[in-house]
Amino acid sequence: MRLELVSRLGSLAAGARNLGELFRALHEETERVMDATVFLFALYDEASETVQVVRQMDRGVEHSGGSFPLGKGFTSEVIRTGAPRLVRRWSAEGPPVRLLYGTEAGDLVTPQSGVVVPILSGDRVLGVLSAQSYRPEAYEEADLLSLSAIAAQAGITIQRLRVTEQMAVEHERHASELEAVLATMNDALLIVDARGAIVRLNRAARELLCLDSASLVFGQPLEQQRLERWPVTAREIAAALVPVIDALRSGASHAGMEIELGSGQLRVLSLGASVLRSPKGVPQGGVIVFRDITGQRELERLREDIFAMAWHDMKTPITVIRGHAELLLRRLSCGERDPKVLESDAALIVEHTDHLSKLLTTLFDISSLEAGLLSISPRPTDLGALTRDVTRGMRATARRNIEVLAHQGVVGRWDEQRIRQVLTNLLSNALKYSPEGSTVTVSLTADERSVTVRVSDEGIGLDDIELAQLFRRGYRAEPARKLAGAGLGLYFCNGIVTAHGGRMWAESFGHGRGSTFCFTLPLREEHGADRPVEDRA
Ligand code: ADP
């Protein structure tokens, strides 16, 4: 009988999802085996030493519980001692009980007998069960045992409910931790469900897609989104996503896929997608992660550019140097002693070695600029004198007329070596991109705040689209590609001028109508000296 009771209760109590359901299961079982006219189920909170009544039953009516501090009654005694208590005649053995019914506060009920048993977990008292009757002598020792068996089952269920509650708290904590991770992630992340509908995206994804929350409908597949209202970038990404989502739905992950966004500025995204599966292994959608790798790609491209430039531009001087050195050796071994001949061979070697070292400096400068490490050391510099000096050096081989319209004495604090590099670059471009016999004019104008340098030619010219892109690293306009070059010179010059606190721009009336490259430098130093050039790419 008792065993039957316990196993039945086991299944009843095991189904309880909360303490209220457990109370009902306990009451039902108790009243099968004993008088449970009044029935009480309470938990004990050790920390506050209070008894928390879960529910009470009195003559078939369920009352909500209350709480009271551990006191002198039988309930408190059982909690304190951990031992069950049989009260045969309440009036003789203890005080009348004032029940804590919310509806009839303070009602005095006078049960005549009762059993109170602890709900134990090892030595710890989790709470109590109490059955009472308005009849005296309603209980005997066997009832104590029965109620203790019911209490043992109650103990197991309470523990289980506490674990579940703990798990719910843990689950919530994990969810909020995950939320925080997603929000601070630099990578964009999308979660799609089994139907391929977007159910979640983080801040980075929203930024990348340029979507405000209103333009994306959560829970709808991509093809049902109002894509025509999405910004171009988002539409391009969405187009790339369709096959990825389809693959996820059929259980295929993707790794290391790259998408190039062509509209507007070139952007490269790397994408990875992993399938989420149910415990049985059925695909349940997946997680898609994007990363903007444009910067990384640009750096790789720069390295390739530099390598190509180094390969291309160094091959010639190295061949020439080797040729002349061999020639010199041969002459010496043949007994050639004419100092003029030997000198001319040696001079050629020196000249090409200089050329090589200049090339190496340019390569180094570009990579320093890229890394934000190009330093500027301003000293008093006469820009007029510097311009004359640079043009003088180039005139001999120019095969074009070079005119200089420069005031003397435009002195400011600039890095002479760096400005020399800028002038040399602009001037050699003007010569390179204009026909033999034409004129290149360098002019200097100054007001009290700044000086402006203009290098004008009568060459191939530039259209508006080209003018807008000239200063991007590696840019070369179509008509210029017939001539050698790596598209790094203007990028570098612009970096130097910007680091001086100046500005650089170009003007042209169009193809075949010549161009003018201009830059200004401040005459009073308003910018920080000796600071590295910022990467403006
Ligand atoms: P590179 O001359 O090695 O190509 P630059 O950075 O100096 O590299 O110039 C970038 C591009 O700007 C050139 O490829 C050319 O298209 C354009 N450019 C520069 N200077 C001139 C000029 N004086 N006239 C016309 N186009 C020019």
Side-chain angles (χ1 to χ4, degrees):
M1 163 73 182
R2 200 154 287 146
L3 268 180
E4 188 196 322
L5 157 96
V6 170
S7 65
R8 195 176 50 227
L9 176 71
S11 62
L12 261 178
R17 283 163 303 177
N18 53 44
L19 291 173
E21 285 183 14
L22 177 61
F23 167 78
R24 259 156 252 140
L26 295 171
H27 177 249
E28 205 177 300
E29 282 315 301
T30 308
E31 78 179 347
R32 278 178 203 270
V33 286
M34 68 187 79
D35 185 343
T37 313
V38 174
F39 182 75
L40 176 142
F41 167 35
L43 294 177
Y44 176 57
D45 179 48
E46 268 175 39
S48 59
E49 295 198 333
T50 49
V51 182
Q52 290 161 355
V53 179
V54 177
R55 291 273 200 289
Q56 302 171 89
M57 187 69 89
D58 182 14
R59 287 161 289 188
V61 182
E62 191 179 310
H63 297 271
S64 59
S67 67
F68 57 89
L70 211 58
K72 292 201 174 74
F74 291 127
T75 310
S76 299
E77 183 195 310
V78 168
I79 288 173
R80 251 195 221 99
T81 60
R85 182 77 150 84
L86 171 64
V87 188
R88 291 181 196 277
R89 275 183 180 275
W90 212 299
S91 52
E93 294 173 53
V97 182
R98 188 182 291 273
L99 287 187
L100 300 156
Y101 299 161
T103 46
E104 300 159 77
D107 240 13
L108 263 176
V109 289
T110 49
Q112 297 301 311
S113 56
V115 272
V116 189
V117 299
I119 302 171
L120 296 169
S121 164
D123 287 344
R124 275 183 60 213
V125 178
L126 300 180
V128 289
L129 286 186
S130 174
Q132 294 148 31
S133 169
Y134 289 103
R135 287 183 293 118
E137 312 271 357
Y139 305 98
E140 54 195 44
E141 290 292 336
D143 294 317
L144 264 191
L145 286 177
S146 300
L147 197 58
S148 293
I150 294 173
Q153 287 302 315
I156 295 167
T157 308
I158 290 167
Q159 302 275 51
R160 177 176 61 76
L161 287 175
R162 283 188 176 163
V163 170
T164 318
E165 194 178 297
Q166 184 64 26
M167 274 163 55
V169 171
E170 289 275 302
H171 184 74
E172 206 162 287
R173 196 168 57 83
H174 278 146
S176 58
E177 273 172 11
L178 183 68
E179 200 62 44
V181 170
L182 293 188
T184 50
M185 250 174 90
N186 287 331
D187 289 355
L189 179 137
L190 289 176
I191 301 179
V192 293
D193 66 12
R195 295 173 306 130
I198 296 173
V199 287
R200 186 103 164 247
L201 81 168
N202 69 350
R203 177 194 47 78
R206 202 167 285 138
E207 279 171 15
L208 193 67
L209 289 163
C210 312
L211 289 180
D212 46 56
S213 40
S215 52
L216 177 89
V217 184
F218 278 114
Q220 260 190 23
L222 213 48
E223 58 270 23
Q224 281 167 31
Q225 303 280 347
R226 297 186 147 184
L227 290 182
E228 71 285 353
R229 295 207 186 160
W230 284 19
V232 191
T233 325
R235 262 183 280 154
E236 276 187 84
I237 298 177
L241 276 181
V242 173
V244 176
I245 293 180
D246 284 348
L248 280 179
R249 290 174 65 191
S250 57
S253 297
H254 264 83
M257 183 176 152
E258 280 184 17
I259 313 172
E260 277 203 16
L261 305 181
S263 58
Q265 246 188 331
L266 180 81
R267 283 171 87 186
V268 188
L269 303 180
S270 113
L271 180 152
S274 319
V275 182
L276 292 174
R277 292 179 190 277
S278 69
K280 286 187 183 148
V282 181
Q284 297 286 297
V287 179
I288 303 170
V289 179
F290 296 92
R291 181 176 300 169
D292 191 334
I293 55 162
T294 317
Q296 198 180 319
R297 268 300 111 80
E298 284 212 336
L299 219 67
E300 282 165 19
R301 241 170 243 165
L302 173 80
R303 279 197 204 112
E304 280 164 18
D305 286 354
I306 290 180
F307 185 77
M309 185 174 156
W311 173 249
H312 178 267
D313 291 5
M314 287 185 183
K315 224 170 42 183
T316 318
I318 290 174
T319 317
V320 174
I321 291 168
R322 188 173 157 78
H324 283 284
E326 267 179 11
L327 198 64
L328 190 61
L329 262 179
R330 230 178 295 138
R331 287 197 216 277
L332 287 170
S333 58
C334 293
E336 172 69 72
R337 291 291 175 265
D338 182 350
K340 277 217 179 95
V341 175
L342 297 178
E343 227 177 76
S344 125
D345 282 339
L348 275 166
I349 294 174
V350 171
E351 187 193 314
H352 285 279
T353 313
D354 284 351
H355 184 52
L356 250 188
S357 100
K358 257 191 226 143
L359 262 173
L360 276 174
T361 313
T362 311
L363 294 178
F364 177 74
D365 283 347
I366 294 280
S367 39
S368 306
L369 175 67
E370 200 63 29
L373 295 170
L374 191 76
S375 64
I376 298 292
S377 312
R379 272 185 215 97
T381 305
D382 183 338
L383 198 57
L386 183 61
T387 309
R388 277 169 214 290
D389 195 36
V390 172
T391 48
R392 198 179 307 121
M394 299 184 90
R395 226 171 237 131
T397 52
R399 295 199 195 143
R400 286 124 185 112
N401 310 312
I402 301 179
E403 284 187 16
V404 180
L405 311 169
H407 302 281
Q408 283 289 3
V410 186
V411 179
R413 281 181 60 80
W414 306 302
D415 185 324
E416 190 185 316
Q417 280 315 314
R418 295 294 182 206
I419 300 301
R420 181 184 288 273
Q421 283 178 301
V422 175
L423 285 168
T424 309
N425 246 300
L426 295 186
L427 213 66
S428 48
N429 273 351
L431 298 172
K432 181 160 91 175
Y433 297 115
S434 61
E436 284 188 18
S438 64
T439 300
V440 171
T441 311
V442 187
S443 75
L444 249 74
T445 47
D447 57 27
E448 71 279 9
R449 303 185 69 195
S450 62
V451 56
T452 304
V453 180
R454 290 167 189 274
V455 180
S456 304
D457 63 55
E458 301 167 348
I460 61 171
L462 295 149
D463 66 20
D464 286 348
I465 298 169
E466 292 162 356
L467 281 171
Q469 307 189 64
L470 278 182
F471 299 101
R472 273 173 49 191
R473 193 192 66 224
Y475 177 78
R476 302 202 73 214
E478 189 57 45
R481 297 197 189 149
K482 289 182 224 104
L483 297 155
L488 297 173
L490 287 182
Y491 169 72
F492 183 57
C493 292
N494 188 38
I496 291 176
V497 169
T498 308
H500 277 83
R503 196 168 69 79
M504 184 173 252
W505 71 99
E507 296 163 356
S508 173
F509 289 113
H511 285 157
R513 303 176 70 183
S515 17
T516 302
F517 282 79
C518 320
F519 67 92
T520 58
L521 292 174
L523 276 168
R524 267 174 288 129
E525 212 173 344
E526 283 156 8
H527 56 95
D530 279 325
R531 63 174 186 174
V533 176
E534 287 162 17
D535 177 8
R536 300 289 172 113

